[in-house]
Amino acid sequence: MFRRILLAATTIAMGFQTTAQASPDFVKKEVREVTAQFSDSRLGDKFFEALEQLLASATHQLSEEGQGALAAEITTEWAQQSALYFGQFGTLDLGDHEPLNRWLARTYDKIEAKLGKRICHWLRYDDLKIFNFGIPVVFHPRGRLGDSWDEAEYGRHFVPFSGAVTYWTVKGVCQALAPGLWTFGCGLIADLPRYAVERWIAPSVSSRVYRSARGELLEAPLELEANLDAWLGEAERALRSDREVIEASHAFQQ
């Protein structure tokens, strides 16, 4: 299974530039929406959308691997969890998110036990761990249950959290627009905005959210439109370079 995914990823990566450039509008739209919502401390909507896409992908993969019972169990439990906690994630510092946090941990362990660590990493299902560890900090910039964190520590959770949310929202739109494009193909496209968000966008947004939660005066909003094309282009060059190294290493091992 892992070899098939690796070979398919290599094949798709060879045409990565053409594929990515064929769909810039929806990628930019999702980056704009994630950035705007997060900048205004509205983290819940996009987070739940991303989590929905991740779990849908994971349960589909489990079903493909003959784990239909577990897929159905996760789907049913997610419906219950989302109904209970969606409203609590609308803005910052509302509600106690521990139940969902624990559910994410258990759910990821079940998925990894059936699919394995390498598959979970290649298909980005291990982003559940990023959500799991990010929730207690990202949604509570002023601290929680006696714990507190400075701006730098907050950013260490906020940045990968934002990247994972961006990845899964973009991937979900990609698969809706191009259902014939294999899930890993849309994943490669979603890697672009994820890289850009984590490298250039989220650090600034993280600082804005953290300071706003403490009542500090906010600096000017991030100049997203002026830089987005350049950031996505730089992300594509960086990711293509990384994949060329992976492909060369794989060819050498053969």
Side-chain angles (χ1 to χ4, degrees), residues 39-138:
S39 293
D40 291 339
S41 299
R42 294 181 289 122
L43 309 182
D45 288 350
K46 284 297 180 181
F47 163 60
F48 267 80
E49 181 181 335
L51 187 51
E52 184 98 50
Q53 292 295 335
L54 192 164
L55 292 172
S57 179
T59 51
H60 174 77
Q61 188 67 36
L62 286 167
S63 296
E64 291 290 305
E65 296 294 319
Q67 301 294 330
L70 177 57
E73 174 188 317
I74 292 172
T75 300
T76 300
E77 289 182 354
W78 167 240
Q80 297 168 345
Q81 292 288 326
S82 60
L84 284 172
Y85 299 110
F86 177 78
Q88 294 187 30
F89 281 85
T91 53
L92 296 178
D93 282 338
L94 295 179
D96 184 346
H97 309 309
E98 276 301 306
L100 179 57
N101 201 35
R102 291 197 300 270
W103 182 80
L104 288 178
R106 292 196 304 270
T107 299
Y108 178 75
D109 287 344
K110 293 175 183 178
I111 294 171
E112 185 184 90
K114 297 301 182 182
L115 298 180
K117 288 184 178 180
R118 290 190 297 180
I119 299 300
C120 285
H121 179 66
W122 274 91
L123 297 180
R124 301 293 190 261
Y125 299 151
D126 53 5
D127 281 340
L128 275 177
K129 293 194 291 186
I130 291 178
F131 292 147
N132 183 37
F133 289 107
I135 285 171
V137 176
V138 171

Side-chain angles (χ1 to χ4, degrees), residues 190-239:
D191 275 337
L192 282 174
R194 180 180 196 150
Y195 186 98
V197 165
E198 291 183 350
R199 180 74 180 272
W200 296 291
I201 300 173
S204 176
V205 175
S206 174
S207 178
R208 183 178 180 83
V209 171
Y210 184 86
R211 295 179 182 183
S212 174
R214 283 163 168 69
E216 298 182 25
L217 293 177
L218 296 180
E219 56 191 32
L222 180 70
E223 289 292 334
L224 184 64
E225 288 303 318
N227 298 290
L228 186 54
D229 284 332
W231 286 334
L232 290 173
E234 181 61 31
E236 183 173 337
R237 287 188 289 273
L239 291 173

Side-chain angles (χ1 to χ4, degrees), residues 9 11-27 174 178 180-190 192 236 240 243:
T11 301
I12 294 171
M14 292 174 66
F16 180 69
Q17 183 174 4
T18 301
T19 304
Q21 291 180 345
S23 54
D25 292 338
F26 79 83
V27 170
C174 174
L181 186 58
W182 188 46
T183 181
F184 209 93
C186 283
L188 288 173
I189 292 172
L192 282 174
E236 183 173 337
R240 188 189 308 117
R243 290 186 181 113

Side-chain angles (χ1 to χ4, degrees), residues 144-173:
R144 179 173 177 274
L145 300 178
D147 290 333
S148 61
W149 20 83
D150 60 18
E151 187 173 333
E153 180 65 18
Y154 184 75
R156 280 191 281 271
H157 291 78
F158 186 97
V159 169
F161 183 92
S162 300
V165 168
T166 302
Y167 176 89
W168 285 102
T169 53
V170 169
K171 185 174 180 179
V173 174

